[in-house]
């Protein structure tokens, strides 16, 4: 599954001169957590999220430090905080470093980016960095809720190649301890796994490989070594 398959295509946008209160109103009205900031060519140049609006004078949440502590803080940091809490346009508060993905990015890679970067949404852009959609955590959950898609037609050789690559890339077992045979879309697993968790992981890999109709799991778990006292 690719980013284009789950992204929201209708995206609320703003430009650098859009008033902050207008952005906040749009976020509340449409129940969204961020608005991409684009230029006249629809290229993404920033994003305003809930986090960018947390410290604002309007809500009384702007940072207030004792004068002696403020004096010790780097002037650039103080200037940035001042503009972010009191600025009136998107340019004053937006996050300028925007993590984005392409329409053909694998959904698993999108989830990895969200997790590693601790963001709730990622814009989807084309080759010219023009906004074409956005993916939120809700979109990922919706993809899970839809359940597995229609199985594509795959030959036994296709299934074997895909499963072999999954085992190689996602376990420490490689191909030395786990064996499998594919017959008319049915996978028979055998061999040894270092732990129950890894045995279950291989079973899931087989069950979710496109084209697989059924899985027979005969993998055994290696006994744990006895530690000498």
């Amino acid at each position: 599954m690719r980013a284009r398959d789950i992204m929201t295509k209708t995206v609320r946008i703003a430009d650098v001169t859009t008033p902050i209160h207008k952005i906040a109103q749009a976020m509340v009205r449409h129940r969204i957590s961020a608005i991409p900031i684009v230029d006249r060519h629809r290229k993404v140049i920033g994003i305003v999220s809930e986090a960018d609006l947390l410290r604002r004078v309007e809500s009384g949440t702007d940072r207030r430090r004792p004068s002696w502590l403020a004096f010790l803080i780097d002037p650039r940091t103080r200037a940035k905080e001042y503009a972010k809490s009191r600025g009136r346009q998107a340019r004053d508060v937006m996050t300028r470093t925007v993590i984005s993905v392409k329409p053909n990015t694998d959904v698993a890679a999108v989830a990895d980016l969200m997790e590693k970067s601790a963001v709730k949404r990622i814009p989807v852009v084309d080759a010219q960095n023009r906004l074409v959609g956005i993916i939120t955590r809700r979109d990922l959950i919706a993809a899970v809720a839809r359940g597995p898609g229609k199985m594509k037609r795959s030959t036994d050789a296709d299934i074997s190649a895909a499963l072999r690559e999954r085992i190689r890339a996602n376990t420490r077992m490689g191909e030395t301890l786990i064996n499998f045979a594919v017959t008319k879309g049915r996978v028979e697993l055998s061999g040894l796994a270092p732990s129950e968790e890894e045995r279950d992981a291989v079973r899931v890999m087989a069950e979710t490989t496109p084209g697989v109709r059924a899985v027979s799991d005969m993998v055994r778990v290696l006994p744990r070594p006895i530690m000498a006292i």
Side-chain angles (χ1 to χ4, degrees), residues 23-64:
I23 291 177
Q25 288 171 358
M27 290 169 68
V28 172
R29 184 182 305 116
H30 300 290
R31 298 183 179 182
I32 52 180
S33 60
I35 291 183
I37 308 302
V38 300
D39 65 12
R40 62 192 182 91
H41 301 296
R42 204 178 170 85
K43 292 185 178 181
V44 179
I45 56 176
I47 192 166
V48 176
S49 69
E50 294 169 330
D52 294 314
L53 302 180
L54 284 181
R55 298 288 187 175
R56 294 288 300 177
V57 292
E58 298 92 335
S59 58
T61 56
D62 55 310
R63 295 186 186 279
R64 300 173 186 177

Side-chain angles (χ1 to χ4, degrees), residues 66-82:
S67 56
W68 66 268
L69 180 58
F71 180 76
L72 297 176
I73 296 174
D74 180 69
R76 290 175 299 179
T77 299
R78 287 188 318 207
K80 183 177 179 180
E81 289 180 354
Y82 186 92

Side-chain angles (χ1 to χ4, degrees), residues 138-220:
R138 183 180 296 274
D139 293 320
L140 289 172
I141 294 172
V144 174
R146 286 195 293 269
K150 198 173 183 179
M151 290 188 298
K152 74 171 188 177
R153 293 182 177 275
S154 301
T155 65
D156 288 347
D158 293 334
I159 295 171
S160 294
L163 182 54
R164 184 176 298 108
E165 176 58 22
R166 286 188 175 190
I167 294 175
R168 184 200 65 75
N170 295 288
T171 73
R172 55 179 169 162
M173 295 169 277
E175 301 176 23
T176 57
L177 298 177
I178 294 292
N179 302 304
F180 63 86
V182 183
T183 306
K184 295 182 179 180
R186 299 179 181 275
V187 178
E188 183 176 289
L189 297 170
S190 61
L192 300 171
S195 67
E196 291 183 8
E197 291 80 6
E198 287 168 290
R199 178 191 63 190
D200 292 342
V202 171
R203 173 180 52 77
V204 171
M205 289 176 205
E207 291 173 343
T208 57
T209 297
V212 171
R213 298 173 57 195
V215 176
S216 175
D217 183 8
M218 295 186 290
V219 176
R220 292 180 297 158

Side-chain angles (χ1 to χ4, degrees), residues 7-11 36 42 122-125 130-135:
M7 70 183 187
T8 298
K9 296 180 181 178
T10 303
V11 186
R42 204 178 170 85
I122 295 181
V124 183
V125 299
R130 293 175 300 199
L131 185 70
V132 296
I134 195 166
I135 295 178

